Coordinates of all heavy atoms in Angstrom, one line a residue:
M17 N 1.9 -6.3 17.3 CA 0.9 -6.2 16.2 C -0.3 -7.0 16.6 O -0.3 -8.1 17.1 CB 1.6 -6.9 15.0 CG 2.4 -5.9 14.2 SD 3.0 -6.7 12.7 CE 4.3 -7.8 13.4
T18 N -1.4 -6.4 16.3 CA -2.7 -7.0 16.6 C -3.5 -7.3 15.3 O -4.6 -7.8 15.4 CB -3.5 -6.1 17.5 OG1 -3.7 -4.8 16.9 CG2 -2.9 -5.9 18.9
E19 N -3.0 -6.9 14.2 CA -3.8 -7.1 13.0 C -3.3 -8.3 12.2 O -3.5 -8.3 11.0 CB -3.6 -5.8 12.1 CG -4.0 -4.5 12.8 CD -5.5 -4.3 12.6 OE1 -6.1 -5.0 11.8 OE2 -6.0 -3.3 13.3
K20 N -2.8 -9.3 12.8 CA -2.2 -10.4 12.1 C -3.3 -11.3 11.5 O -3.1 -11.8 10.4 CB -1.4 -11.3 13.1 CG 0.1 -11.0 12.9 CD 0.5 -11.1 11.5 CE 2.0 -10.9 11.3 NZ 2.4 -10.5 9.9
S21 N -4.4 -11.4 12.1 CA -5.4 -12.3 11.6 C -6.0 -11.7 10.3 O -6.2 -10.5 10.1 CB -6.6 -12.6 12.6 OG -7.1 -11.4 12.9
V22 N -6.3 -12.6 9.3 CA -6.8 -12.2 8.0 C -8.2 -12.7 7.9 O -8.5 -13.9 8.1 CB -5.9 -12.7 6.9 CG1 -6.5 -12.4 5.6 CG2 -4.5 -12.2 7.0
H23 N -9.1 -11.8 7.6 CA -10.5 -12.2 7.4 C -10.9 -12.1 6.0 O -11.8 -11.3 5.6 CB -11.4 -11.3 8.3 CG -11.0 -11.3 9.7 ND1 -11.2 -12.3 10.6 CD2 -10.3 -10.3 10.4 CE1 -10.7 -12.0 11.8 NE2 -10.2 -10.8 11.7
G24 N -10.3 -12.8 5.2 CA -10.7 -12.8 3.8 C -10.3 -11.5 3.1 O -9.4 -10.8 3.5
A25 N -11.0 -11.1 2.1 CA -10.7 -10.0 1.3 C -11.4 -8.7 1.7 O -11.4 -7.7 1.0 CB -10.9 -10.3 -0.2
S26 N -12.1 -8.8 2.8 CA -12.9 -7.6 3.2 C -12.4 -7.1 4.5 O -11.5 -7.7 5.2 CB -14.4 -7.9 3.3 OG -14.5 -8.9 4.3
G27 N -13.0 -6.0 5.0 CA -12.7 -5.5 6.3 C -11.3 -5.2 6.5 O -10.7 -4.4 5.8
A28 N -10.7 -5.8 7.5 CA -9.3 -5.4 7.9 C -8.3 -5.6 6.9 O -7.2 -5.0 6.9 CB -9.0 -6.2 9.2
A29 N -8.6 -6.5 5.9 CA -7.6 -6.8 4.9 C -7.8 -5.9 3.6 O -7.0 -6.0 2.7 CB -7.6 -8.2 4.5
A30 N -8.8 -5.1 3.6 CA -9.1 -4.3 2.4 C -8.0 -3.4 2.0 O -7.6 -3.3 0.8 CB -10.4 -3.5 2.6
L31 N -7.4 -2.7 3.0 CA -6.3 -1.8 2.6 C -5.1 -2.6 2.1 O -4.5 -2.2 1.0 CB -5.9 -1.0 3.9 CG -4.6 -0.2 3.7 CD1 -4.9 0.9 2.7 CD2 -4.2 0.4 5.0
R32 N -4.8 -3.7 2.7 CA -3.6 -4.5 2.3 C -3.9 -5.0 0.9 O -3.0 -5.0 0.0 CB -3.4 -5.6 3.3 CG -2.2 -6.5 3.0 CD -1.9 -7.3 4.2 NE -3.0 -8.0 4.7 CZ -3.3 -8.1 6.0 NH1 -2.5 -7.6 6.9 NH2 -4.4 -8.7 6.4
D33 N -5.1 -5.5 0.6 CA -5.4 -6.0 -0.7 C -5.3 -5.0 -1.8 O -4.8 -5.2 -2.8 CB -6.8 -6.6 -0.7 CG -6.9 -7.9 0.1 OD1 -5.8 -8.4 0.5 OD2 -8.0 -8.4 0.4
A34 N -5.8 -3.8 -1.4 CA -5.7 -2.7 -2.4 C -4.3 -2.3 -2.7 O -3.9 -2.1 -3.9 CB -6.5 -1.5 -1.9
L35 N -3.5 -2.2 -1.7 CA -2.1 -1.8 -1.9 C -1.3 -2.9 -2.6 O -0.4 -2.6 -3.4 CB -1.4 -1.5 -0.6 CG -1.9 -0.2 0.1 CD1 -1.4 0.0 1.5 CD2 -1.5 1.0 -0.7
F36 N -1.7 -4.1 -2.3 CA -1.0 -5.2 -3.0 C -1.4 -5.2 -4.5 O -0.5 -5.4 -5.3 CB -1.5 -6.6 -2.3 CG -1.0 -7.8 -3.1 CD1 0.3 -8.0 -3.3 CD2 -1.9 -8.6 -3.7 CE1 0.8 -9.1 -4.1 CE2 -1.5 -9.7 -4.4 CZ -0.2 -10.0 -4.6
A37 N -2.6 -5.0 -4.8 CA -3.1 -5.0 -6.2 C -2.4 -3.8 -6.9 O -1.9 -4.0 -8.0 CB -4.6 -4.8 -6.3
G38 N -2.2 -2.7 -6.2 CA -1.4 -1.6 -6.7 C -1.9 -0.9 -7.9 O -1.2 -0.1 -8.5
A39 N -3.2 -1.1 -8.2 CA -3.7 -0.3 -9.4 C -5.2 0.0 -9.1 O -5.8 -0.5 -8.2 CB -3.6 -1.2 -10.7
D40 N -5.7 0.9 -10.0 CA -7.1 1.2 -9.9 C -7.5 1.8 -8.5 O -8.5 1.5 -8.0 CB -8.0 0.0 -10.2 CG -7.7 -0.4 -11.6 OD1 -7.4 0.4 -12.5 OD2 -7.8 -1.6 -11.9
Y41 N -6.6 2.6 -7.9 CA -6.9 3.2 -6.7 C -8.0 4.3 -6.9 O -8.0 4.9 -7.9 CB -5.7 3.9 -6.1 CG -4.6 3.0 -5.7 CD1 -3.2 3.4 -6.0 CD2 -4.8 1.9 -4.9 CE1 -2.2 2.6 -5.5 CE2 -3.8 1.1 -4.5 CZ -2.5 1.4 -4.8 OH -1.4 0.7 -4.4
A42 N -8.9 4.4 -5.9 CA -9.9 5.4 -6.0 C -9.2 6.8 -5.6 O -9.6 7.8 -6.1 CB -11.0 5.1 -5.1
F43 N -8.2 6.7 -4.8 CA -7.5 7.9 -4.3 C -6.0 7.7 -4.4 O -5.6 6.5 -4.1 CB -7.9 8.3 -2.9 CG -9.4 8.6 -2.8 CD1 -10.3 7.6 -2.5 CD2 -9.8 9.9 -2.9 CE1 -11.6 7.9 -2.4 CE2 -11.1 10.2 -2.8 CZ -12.1 9.3 -2.5
D44 N -5.3 8.7 -4.7 CA -3.9 8.5 -4.7 C -3.4 8.3 -3.3 O -3.7 9.2 -2.4 CB -3.2 9.8 -5.3 CG -1.7 9.6 -5.5 OD1 -1.3 9.1 -6.5 OD2 -1.0 9.9 -4.5
P45 N -2.6 7.3 -3.0 CA -2.2 7.0 -1.6 C -1.1 8.0 -1.1 O -0.8 7.9 0.1 CB -1.6 5.6 -1.7 CG -1.4 5.3 -3.1 CD -2.3 6.2 -3.9
F46 N -0.6 8.8 -2.0 CA 0.5 9.7 -1.5 C 0.0 11.2 -1.4 O 0.6 12.0 -0.7 CB 1.7 9.6 -2.5 CG 2.1 8.2 -2.6 CD1 1.8 7.5 -3.8 CD2 2.8 7.6 -1.6 CE1 2.2 6.2 -3.9 CE2 3.2 6.3 -1.7 CZ 2.9 5.6 -2.9
T47 N -1.1 11.5 -2.1 CA -1.6 12.8 -2.0 C -3.1 12.9 -1.5 O -3.5 14.0 -1.1 CB -1.6 13.5 -3.4 OG1 -2.4 12.8 -4.3 CG2 -0.1 13.6 -3.9
G48 N -3.8 11.8 -1.6 CA -5.2 11.8 -1.2 C -6.1 12.4 -2.3 O -7.3 12.5 -2.1
V49 N -5.5 12.7 -3.4 CA -6.3 13.3 -4.5 C -7.1 12.2 -5.2 O -6.6 11.1 -5.4 CB -5.4 14.0 -5.5 CG1 -6.2 14.6 -6.7 CG2 -4.7 15.1 -4.8
P50 N -8.4 12.4 -5.5 CA -9.1 11.4 -6.3 C -8.4 11.0 -7.6 O -7.8 11.8 -8.2 CB -10.5 12.0 -6.6 CG -10.6 13.1 -5.5 CD -9.2 13.5 -5.2
A51 N -8.4 9.7 -7.9 CA -7.8 9.2 -9.1 C -8.3 9.9 -10.3 O -9.5 10.2 -10.4 CB -8.0 7.7 -9.2
G52 N -7.5 10.2 -11.2 CA -7.9 11.0 -12.4 C -7.5 12.5 -12.2 O -7.2 13.1 -13.2
E53 N -7.6 12.9 -11.0 CA -7.2 14.3 -10.7 C -5.7 14.4 -10.2 O -5.2 15.5 -10.1 CB -8.1 15.0 -9.7 CG -9.5 15.0 -10.1 CD -10.4 15.5 -9.0 OE1 -9.9 16.2 -8.1 OE2 -11.6 15.1 -9.0
A54 N -5.2 13.2 -9.9 CA -3.9 13.2 -9.3 C -2.8 13.5 -10.3 O -2.9 12.9 -11.4 CB -3.7 11.8 -8.6
P55 N -1.9 14.3 -9.9 CA -0.7 14.4 -10.8 C 0.1 13.2 -10.9 O -0.1 12.3 -10.0 CB 0.1 15.6 -10.1 CG -0.3 15.4 -8.7 CD -1.7 15.0 -8.7
R56 N 0.9 13.1 -11.9 CA 1.8 11.9 -12.0 C 2.6 11.8 -10.7 O 3.1 12.8 -10.2 CB 2.7 12.1 -13.2 CG 3.5 10.8 -13.4 CD 4.3 11.0 -14.7 NE 5.4 10.0 -14.8 CZ 5.2 8.7 -15.0 NH1 4.0 8.2 -15.2 NH2 6.2 7.8 -15.0
R57 N 2.8 10.6 -10.3 CA 3.5 10.3 -9.0 C 5.0 10.6 -9.2 O 5.6 10.3 -10.3 CB 3.4 8.9 -8.6 CG 2.0 8.7 -7.9 CD 1.9 7.3 -7.4 NE 0.5 7.0 -7.2 CZ 0.1 5.8 -7.3 NH1 0.9 4.8 -7.5 NH2 -1.2 5.6 -7.2
F58 N 5.6 11.0 -8.2 CA 7.1 11.0 -8.2 C 7.6 9.6 -8.2 O 7.0 8.7 -7.8 CB 7.6 11.9 -7.0 CG 7.0 11.6 -5.7 CD1 7.6 10.7 -4.8 CD2 5.7 12.2 -5.4 CE1 6.9 10.5 -3.6 CE2 5.1 11.9 -4.2 CZ 5.7 11.1 -3.3
R59 N 8.8 9.5 -8.7 CA 9.4 8.2 -9.0 C 9.5 7.3 -7.7 O 9.2 6.1 -7.8 CB 10.8 8.4 -9.6 CG 11.4 7.1 -10.1 CD 10.7 6.7 -11.4 NE 11.4 5.5 -11.9 CZ 10.8 4.4 -12.3 NH1 9.4 4.4 -12.3 NH2 11.4 3.4 -12.8
A60 N 9.9 7.9 -6.6 CA 10.0 7.0 -5.4 C 8.7 6.4 -5.0 O 8.6 5.2 -4.6 CB 10.6 7.9 -4.2
A61 N 7.6 7.1 -5.2 CA 6.3 6.6 -4.9 C 5.9 5.5 -5.9 O 5.4 4.4 -5.5 CB 5.3 7.7 -5.0
E62 N 6.2 5.7 -7.2 CA 5.9 4.6 -8.1 C 6.7 3.4 -7.8 O 6.2 2.3 -8.1 CB 6.4 5.1 -9.5 CG 5.4 6.1 -10.1 CD 5.7 6.4 -11.6 OE1 6.8 6.1 -12.0 OE2 4.8 6.9 -12.3
L63 N 7.9 3.5 -7.3 CA 8.7 2.3 -7.0 C 8.3 1.7 -5.7 O 8.9 0.7 -5.3 CB 10.2 2.7 -7.0 CG 10.8 3.1 -8.3 CD1 12.2 3.7 -8.1 CD2 10.8 1.9 -9.2
G64 N 7.4 2.3 -5.0 CA 7.0 1.8 -3.7 C 7.9 2.1 -2.6 O 7.9 1.4 -1.5
L65 N 8.8 3.1 -2.8 CA 9.7 3.4 -1.7 C 9.2 4.4 -0.7 O 9.7 4.6 0.4 CB 11.0 4.1 -2.4 CG 11.7 3.2 -3.4 CD1 12.8 3.9 -4.0 CD2 12.2 1.9 -2.7
E66 N 8.1 5.0 -1.1 CA 7.5 6.0 -0.3 C 6.3 5.4 0.5 O 5.6 4.6 0.0 CB 6.9 7.2 -1.2 CG 6.6 8.4 -0.5 CD 7.8 9.1 0.2 OE1 8.9 8.9 -0.3 OE2 7.6 9.9 1.1
A67 N 6.2 5.8 1.7 CA 5.0 5.2 2.5 C 3.7 5.9 2.1 O 3.7 7.1 1.9 CB 5.3 5.5 4.0
P68 N 2.7 5.1 1.9 CA 1.4 5.7 1.5 C 0.8 6.4 2.7 O 0.8 5.9 3.8 CB 0.5 4.5 1.2 CG 1.2 3.3 1.8 CD 2.6 3.7 1.9
R69 N 0.3 7.6 2.5 CA -0.2 8.5 3.6 C -1.7 8.6 3.6 O -2.3 9.0 4.6 CB 0.3 9.9 3.4 CG 1.8 10.0 3.3 CD 2.5 9.9 4.7 NE 3.9 9.9 4.6 CZ 4.7 9.8 5.7 NH1 4.2 9.8 6.9 NH2 6.0 9.7 5.5
Y70 N -2.3 8.2 2.4 CA -3.8 8.3 2.3 C -4.3 7.0 1.9 O -3.7 6.3 1.1 CB -4.2 9.4 1.3 CG -3.8 10.8 1.7 CD1 -2.5 11.2 1.4 CD2 -4.6 11.6 2.4 CE1 -2.1 12.5 1.8 CE2 -4.2 12.8 2.8 CZ -3.0 13.3 2.5 OH -2.6 14.5 2.9
C71 N -5.5 6.6 2.4 CA -6.1 5.3 2.0 C -6.5 5.4 0.5 O -7.2 6.3 0.1 CB -7.3 5.1 2.9 SG -8.2 3.5 2.4
P72 N -6.0 4.4 -0.2 CA -6.4 4.4 -1.7 C -7.8 4.0 -1.9 O -8.3 4.2 -3.0 CB -5.5 3.3 -2.2 CG -5.1 2.4 -1.1 CD -5.1 3.3 0.1
L73 N -8.5 3.6 -0.9 CA -9.9 3.2 -1.0 C -10.9 4.3 -0.7 O -11.9 4.5 -1.3 CB -10.2 2.0 -0.1 CG -9.4 0.7 -0.5 CD1 -9.6 -0.3 0.6 CD2 -9.9 0.2 -1.8
C74 N -10.5 5.1 0.3 CA -11.5 6.2 0.7 C -10.8 7.6 0.8 O -11.6 8.5 1.0 CB -12.1 5.8 2.1 SG -10.9 5.8 3.4
G75 N -9.5 7.6 0.6 CA -8.9 9.0 0.6 C -8.6 9.5 2.0 O -8.2 10.7 2.1
R76 N -9.0 8.8 3.1 CA -8.7 9.3 4.4 C -7.3 9.3 4.7 O -6.5 8.5 4.2 CB -9.4 8.4 5.5 CG -10.8 8.5 5.6 CD -11.3 7.6 6.7 NE -12.7 7.8 7.0 CZ -13.7 7.3 6.3 NH1 -13.5 6.6 5.2 NH2 -15.0 7.6 6.6
R77 N -6.9 10.3 5.5 CA -5.5 10.4 6.0 C -5.3 9.1 6.8 O -6.1 8.9 7.7 CB -5.3 11.6 6.8 CG -3.8 11.9 7.1 CD -3.3 12.9 6.0 NE -2.0 13.5 6.5 CZ -0.8 13.0 6.3 NH1 -0.6 11.9 5.7 NH2 0.2 13.7 6.8
M78 N -4.2 8.4 6.6 CA -4.0 7.2 7.4 C -2.9 7.5 8.5 O -2.2 8.5 8.4 CB -3.4 6.1 6.5 CG -4.4 5.7 5.5 SD -4.0 4.1 4.7 CE -2.5 4.6 3.7
I79 N -2.9 6.7 9.5 CA -1.8 6.7 10.4 C -0.7 6.0 9.8 O -0.8 4.8 9.6 CB -2.2 6.1 11.7 CG1 -3.4 6.8 12.3 CG2 -1.1 6.1 12.7 CD1 -4.1 6.1 13.5
T80 N 0.4 6.6 9.5 CA 1.5 6.0 8.8 C 2.8 6.1 9.6 O 3.1 7.2 10.1 CB 1.7 6.6 7.4 OG1 0.6 6.4 6.6 CG2 3.0 6.0 6.7
Q81 N 3.4 5.0 9.9 CA 4.7 5.0 10.6 C 5.7 4.6 9.6 O 5.6 3.6 8.8 CB 4.7 3.9 11.7 CG 3.9 4.3 12.9 CD 3.9 3.1 13.8 OE1 3.2 2.1 13.6 NE2 4.8 3.1 14.8
V82 N 6.8 5.3 9.5 CA 7.9 4.9 8.7 C 8.8 4.1 9.6 O 9.3 4.5 10.7 CB 8.7 6.1 8.1 CG1 9.9 5.6 7.4 CG2 7.7 6.8 7.2
L83 N 9.1 2.8 9.2 CA 9.9 1.9 10.0 C 11.3 1.8 9.3 O 11.4 2.2 8.1 CB 9.3 0.5 10.0 CG 7.8 0.5 10.3 CD1 7.3 -0.9 10.1 CD2 7.5 0.9 11.8
H84 N 12.2 1.3 10.0 CA 13.5 1.1 9.3 C 13.5 0.1 8.2 O 14.3 0.1 7.3 CB 14.7 0.8 10.3 CG 14.5 -0.4 11.1 ND1 13.6 -0.6 12.1 CD2 15.0 -1.7 10.9 CE1 13.7 -1.8 12.6 NE2 14.5 -2.5 11.8
T85 N 12.5 -0.8 8.3 CA 12.3 -1.8 7.3 C 11.3 -1.4 6.2 O 11.1 -2.2 5.2 CB 11.8 -3.1 7.9 OG1 10.6 -2.8 8.7 CG2 12.8 -3.7 8.8
G86 N 10.6 -0.3 6.3 CA 9.6 0.1 5.4 C 8.6 1.0 6.0 O 9.0 2.0 6.6
W87 N 7.3 0.6 6.0 CA 6.3 1.4 6.6 C 5.1 0.6 7.0 O 5.0 -0.6 6.6 CB 5.8 2.5 5.6 CG 5.5 2.0 4.2 CD1 6.3 2.0 3.1 CD2 4.3 1.2 3.8 NE1 5.7 1.4 2.1 CE2 4.5 0.9 2.5 CE3 3.2 0.9 4.5 CZ2 3.5 0.2 1.7 CZ3 2.2 0.2 3.8 CH2 2.4 -0.2 2.4
R88 N 4.3 1.2 7.8 CA 3.1 0.6 8.3 C 2.0 1.7 8.3 O 2.2 2.8 8.8 CB 3.2 0.1 9.7 CG 2.0 -0.5 10.3 CD 2.2 -0.8 11.8 NE 3.4 -1.7 12.0 CZ 4.2 -1.7 13.1 NH1 4.0 -0.9 14.0 NH2 5.1 -2.6 13.2
S89 N 0.9 1.4 7.6 CA -0.2 2.4 7.5 C -1.5 1.8 8.0 O -1.8 0.6 7.8 CB -0.3 2.8 6.0 OG 0.8 3.5 5.6
K90 N -2.3 2.7 8.5 CA -3.6 2.2 9.0 C -4.7 3.2 8.7 O -4.6 4.4 9.0 CB -3.5 2.0 10.6 CG -4.8 1.5 11.2 CD -4.5 1.3 12.7 CE -5.8 1.0 13.4 NZ -6.5 -0.2 13.0
C91 N -5.8 2.7 8.0 CA -7.0 3.4 7.8 C -8.0 3.1 8.8 O -8.1 1.9 9.2 CB -7.5 3.1 6.4 SG -9.1 3.8 6.0
S92 N -8.7 4.1 9.3 CA -9.7 3.8 10.3 C -10.8 2.9 9.8 O -11.5 2.2 10.6 CB -10.2 5.1 10.9 OG -10.9 5.8 9.9
R93 N -11.0 2.9 8.5 CA -12.1 2.1 7.9 C -11.6 0.8 7.3 O -12.3 -0.2 7.2 CB -12.8 2.9 6.9 CG -13.7 4.0 7.4 CD -15.0 3.5 8.0 NE -15.9 3.0 6.9 CZ -16.6 3.8 6.2 NH1 -16.7 5.1 6.4 NH2 -17.4 3.3 5.2
H94 N -10.4 0.8 6.7 CA -10.0 -0.3 5.8 C -8.8 -1.1 6.4 O -8.2 -1.9 5.6 CB -9.7 0.3 4.5 CG -10.9 0.8 3.8 ND1 -11.1 2.2 3.7 CD2 -12.0 0.2 3.3 CE1 -12.3 2.3 3.1 NE2 -12.9 1.2 2.8
G95 N -8.5 -1.0 7.6 CA -7.5 -1.8 8.2 C -6.1 -1.3 8.0 O -5.9 -0.1 7.6
S96 N -5.2 -2.2 8.3 CA -3.8 -1.7 8.2 C -3.0 -2.6 7.2 O -3.4 -3.7 6.8 CB -3.1 -1.8 9.6 OG -3.1 -3.2 10.0
A97 N -1.9 -2.1 6.8 CA -1.0 -2.8 5.9 C 0.4 -2.4 6.2 O 0.7 -1.3 6.7 CB -1.3 -2.4 4.5
E98 N 1.3 -3.4 6.0 CA 2.7 -3.1 6.2 C 3.5 -3.4 4.9 O 3.2 -4.4 4.3 CB 3.2 -4.1 7.3 CG 3.8 -3.4 8.5 CD 4.2 -4.4 9.6 OE1 3.3 -4.7 10.4 OE2 5.4 -4.8 9.6
S99 N 4.5 -2.7 4.7 CA 5.2 -2.9 3.4 C 5.8 -4.3 3.4 O 5.9 -4.9 2.3 CB 6.3 -1.8 3.3 OG 7.2 -1.8 4.4
A100 N 6.3 -4.8 4.5 CA 7.0 -6.1 4.6 C 6.0 -7.2 4.1 O 6.4 -8.1 3.4 CB 7.5 -6.4 6.0
E101 N 4.7 -7.1 4.6 CA 3.8 -8.2 4.2 C 3.4 -8.0 2.7 O 3.1 -9.0 2.1 CB 2.6 -8.2 5.1 CG 1.8 -7.0 5.2 CD 0.7 -7.0 6.3 OE1 0.8 -8.0 7.1 OE2 -0.1 -6.1 6.3
I102 N 3.3 -6.8 2.3 CA 3.0 -6.6 0.9 C 4.1 -7.1 0.0 O 3.9 -7.8 -1.0 CB 2.6 -5.1 0.6 CG1 1.3 -4.8 1.3 CG2 2.5 -4.8 -0.9 CD1 0.9 -3.4 1.3
D103 N 5.3 -6.8 0.4 CA 6.5 -7.2 -0.4 C 6.5 -8.8 -0.4 O 6.8 -9.4 -1.4 CB 7.8 -6.7 0.2 CG 8.0 -5.2 0.0 OD1 7.2 -4.7 -0.8 OD2 8.8 -4.7 0.7
A104 N 6.2 -9.4 0.7 CA 6.2 -10.8 0.8 C 5.1 -11.4 -0.1 O 5.3 -12.4 -0.8 CB 6.0 -11.3 2.3
A105 N 3.9 -10.8 -0.1 CA 2.8 -11.3 -0.9 C 3.2 -11.1 -2.4 O 2.9 -12.0 -3.2 CB 1.6 -10.5 -0.6
R106 N 3.8 -10.0 -2.7 CA 4.2 -9.8 -4.1 C 5.3 -10.9 -4.5 O 5.3 -11.4 -5.6 CB 4.8 -8.4 -4.3 CG 3.8 -7.4 -4.3 CD 4.2 -6.1 -5.1 NE 3.0 -5.2 -5.2 CZ 3.1 -4.0 -4.7 NH1 4.2 -3.5 -4.2 NH2 2.0 -3.2 -4.8
E107 N 6.2 -11.1 -3.6 CA 7.2 -12.1 -3.9 C 6.6 -13.5 -4.2 O 7.0 -14.2 -5.1 CB 8.2 -12.2 -2.7 CG 9.5 -12.9 -2.9 CD 10.4 -12.1 -3.9 OE1 10.4 -10.9 -3.9 OE2 11.0 -12.8 -4.7
A108 N 5.6 -13.8 -3.3 CA 4.9 -15.1 -3.5 C 4.1 -15.2 -4.8 O 4.0 -16.3 -5.3 CB 4.0 -15.3 -2.3
A109 N 3.6 -14.0 -5.2 CA 2.8 -14.0 -6.4 C 3.6 -13.9 -7.7 O 3.1 -14.1 -8.8 CB 1.8 -12.9 -6.3
R110 N 4.9 -13.6 -7.5 CA 5.7 -13.4 -8.7 C 5.9 -14.7 -9.5 O 6.1 -15.8 -9.0 CB 7.1 -12.9 -8.2 CG 8.0 -12.5 -9.4 CD 9.2 -11.7 -8.8 NE 8.8 -10.4 -8.3 CZ 9.4 -9.8 -7.4 NH1 10.5 -10.3 -6.9 NH2 9.0 -8.6 -6.9
D111 N 5.9 -14.5 -10.8 CA 6.1 -15.6 -11.7 C 7.6 -16.1 -11.5 O 8.5 -15.3 -11.7 CB 5.9 -15.2 -13.1 CG 6.1 -16.3 -14.1 OD1 6.6 -17.4 -13.7 OD2 5.8 -16.1 -15.3
P112 N 7.8 -17.3 -11.1 CA 9.2 -17.7 -10.8 C 10.1 -17.7 -12.1 O 11.3 -17.8 -12.0 CB 9.0 -19.1 -10.3 CG 7.7 -19.6 -10.7 CD 6.9 -18.3 -10.8
F113 N 9.4 -17.7 -13.2 CA 10.2 -17.7 -14.5 C 10.4 -16.3 -15.1 O 11.0 -16.2 -16.1 CB 9.5 -18.6 -15.5 CG 9.3 -20.0 -15.0 CD1 8.1 -20.5 -14.6 CD2 10.5 -20.8 -14.9 CE1 8.0 -21.8 -14.1 CE2 10.3 -22.1 -14.4 CZ 9.1 -22.6 -14.0
A114 N 9.8 -15.3 -14.4 CA 10.0 -14.0 -14.9 C 11.4 -13.5 -14.8 O 12.1 -13.9 -13.8 CB 9.0 -13.0 -14.1
E115 N 11.8 -12.7 -15.7 CA 13.2 -12.1 -15.6 C 13.2 -11.0 -14.6 O 12.2 -10.3 -14.3 CB 13.5 -11.5 -17.0 CG 13.7 -12.5 -18.1 CD 14.9 -13.4 -17.9 OE1 15.9 -12.8 -17.4 OE2 14.9 -14.5 -18.3
H116 N 14.4 -10.9 -14.0 CA 14.6 -9.8 -13.1 C 14.6 -8.5 -13.9 O 15.1 -8.5 -15.0 CB 15.9 -9.9 -12.3 CG 15.7 -11.0 -11.2 ND1 15.1 -10.8 -10.0 CD2 16.2 -12.3 -11.2 CE1 15.1 -11.9 -9.3 NE2 15.8 -12.8 -10.0
E117 N 14.2 -7.4 -13.3 CA 14.2 -6.1 -14.0 C 15.6 -5.6 -14.1 O 16.4 -5.8 -13.3 CB 13.4 -5.1 -13.2 CG 11.9 -5.4 -13.3 CD 11.1 -4.3 -12.5 OE1 11.4 -3.1 -12.6 OE2 10.2 -4.8 -11.8
Ligands
ZN14 ZN1 -9.9 3.7 3.9

């Protein structure tokens, strides 16, 4: 992995930040359709079980690898993201007093 360094909230981390935020995508990460025109997502995608194939920021087709632990996606403009690091960030951000679903 060569994308380990984090340069704030821009550039290489933009994709990761967008996927972490998980809302207000400009483009649907599973179909590449502009937000608002996108059909409702299938359940696996909503649950984050599906690897994103399109950049939610620009709609470009991403290079996506499905790993046995999750997925890794890379946009030529917005950097790369891995499900493991997004899961870890979500875990860290989670309210420790929140109930489990
Ligand atoms: Zn992009």
